[in-house]
Amino acid sequence: MTLAQLTEILDAAAVDGHTVDRPTDSIELTLPDAYAVQRAVIERRLARGESSTGVKMGFTSRAKMVQMGVDDVIWGLLTDAMQVEDGAVLDLGGLIHPRIEPEIAFLIGSPISGRITPAEAVRSLAGVAVAYEVLDSRYEGFRFTLPDVIADNASAARYGCGIWQPADVRDLSNIGLLVEIDGRVVATGSSAAILGHPLRSLVAAARLAGEAGIALEPGQIVLAGAATAALPLPRGAHVRILGDGLGGVEVTTR
Ligand code: OOG
Ligand code: MG
């Protein structure tokens, strides 16, 4: 299997919602190869008319590293087709085995790339919001190695953000996060779970952008990574994510 073939296979799998074999079961896939495939999959989507909306960080919390059995921070690329408006109904029809996780989202206000400090990261922001990510690994049972999941765009499927709040007026180090499904609290966590401070995830995103030879641009979003393990997302559910002093975001599935 060539990288071009793998790109086509993973693109089709994400579009129609079917599982595929893990590439590392049959070929050797280096991390740079895996990122090249991830980029090529997204380029196919952009060529079909989608637009880039930012990046998502993965495995920035211990809860996620332990749940998925990997231990390196990665990223995936977001497009407008993955974006869900706050309060909207999300059709899970095209997804395989969706999971939802609570996140903190950053809105970029001025370009960042390469090595920056947390203080520079916060100054680059136009806003911060409570968010969720809907994951849908294209591998059976959400089982993968690091190169597999990177090639599969870090399991990205959908995401939604609450109302943007000013980022520089509050301490983001320990924001309590709560996930409710149908009015019942099903998970709680803290933004501190994200690399000890979610701004570190933004710093890591800028570093990965620098390594990829790009910048995170004004208007783009950075999902900082989940603060808890991901939860199975059923149809017909009303999910609400609340962040202490940061508002919330809601979605209803069908
Ligand atoms: C990979 C994506 C990880 C996060 O927030 O840590 C991720 C997966 O768990 O399938 O999005
Ligand atoms: Mg995530």
Side-chain angles (χ1 to χ4, degrees), residues 56-60 64 100-103 132-135 154-156 158 223-228 230:
K56 56 154 286 181
M57 302 301 285
F59 309 129
T60 50
K64 286 291 306 185
I100 192 163
E101 50 189 22
E103 305 222 0
Y132 64 84
E133 181 175 24
V134 174
L135 297 173
S155 310
R158 303 284 187 274
L223 288 181
T228 70

Side-chain angles (χ1 to χ4, degrees), residues 49-240:
E50 294 179 29
S51 54
S52 159
T53 53
V55 302
K56 56 154 286 181
M57 302 301 285
F59 309 129
T60 50
S61 72
R62 276 213 63 72
K64 286 291 306 185
M65 288 185 188
V66 169
Q67 180 183 32
M68 308 314 294
V70 298
D71 58 1
D72 224 348
V73 170
I74 64 171
W75 82 1
L77 307 173
L78 302 174
T79 76
D80 60 341
M82 303 175 191
Q83 196 173 345
V84 182
E85 289 309 315
D86 187 11
V89 173
L90 169 59
D91 186 355
L92 300 180
L95 303 182
I96 307 159
H97 42 199
R99 293 178 174 179
I100 192 163
E101 50 189 22
E103 305 222 0
I104 296 286
F106 294 114
L107 180 64
I108 305 295
S110 53
I112 47 173
S113 180
R115 288 177 64 90
I116 59 167
T117 64
E120 287 165 336
V122 84
R123 278 199 299 275
S124 77
L125 289 175
V128 59
V130 174
Y132 64 84
E133 181 175 24
V134 174
L135 297 173
D136 196 36
S137 174
R138 268 58 66 169
Y139 306 120
E140 204 160 318
F142 268 86
R143 282 189 307 275
F144 42 67
T145 64
L146 206 53
D148 294 321
V149 66
I150 290 169
D152 185 29
N153 199 26
S155 310
R158 303 284 187 274
Y159 70 93
C161 302
I163 294 170
W164 296 109
Q165 311 284 328
D168 52 354
V169 295
R170 69 193 75 223
D171 177 8
L172 300 175
S173 64
N174 187 16
I175 306 264
L177 287 166
L178 184 149
V179 184
E180 266 180 24
I181 299 189
D182 297 328
R184 200 174 291 160
V185 176
V186 290
T188 57
S190 161
S191 64
I194 303 164
L195 293 175
H197 195 307
L199 277 177
R200 292 198 188 121
S201 181
L202 186 60
V203 168
R207 177 176 55 77
L208 289 176
E211 286 169 11
I214 58 171
L216 298 169
E217 299 287 351
Q220 288 199 311
I221 285 166
V222 175
L223 288 181
T228 70
L231 304 152
L233 181 61
R235 287 180 184 238
H238 178 247
V239 185
R240 204 156 70 117

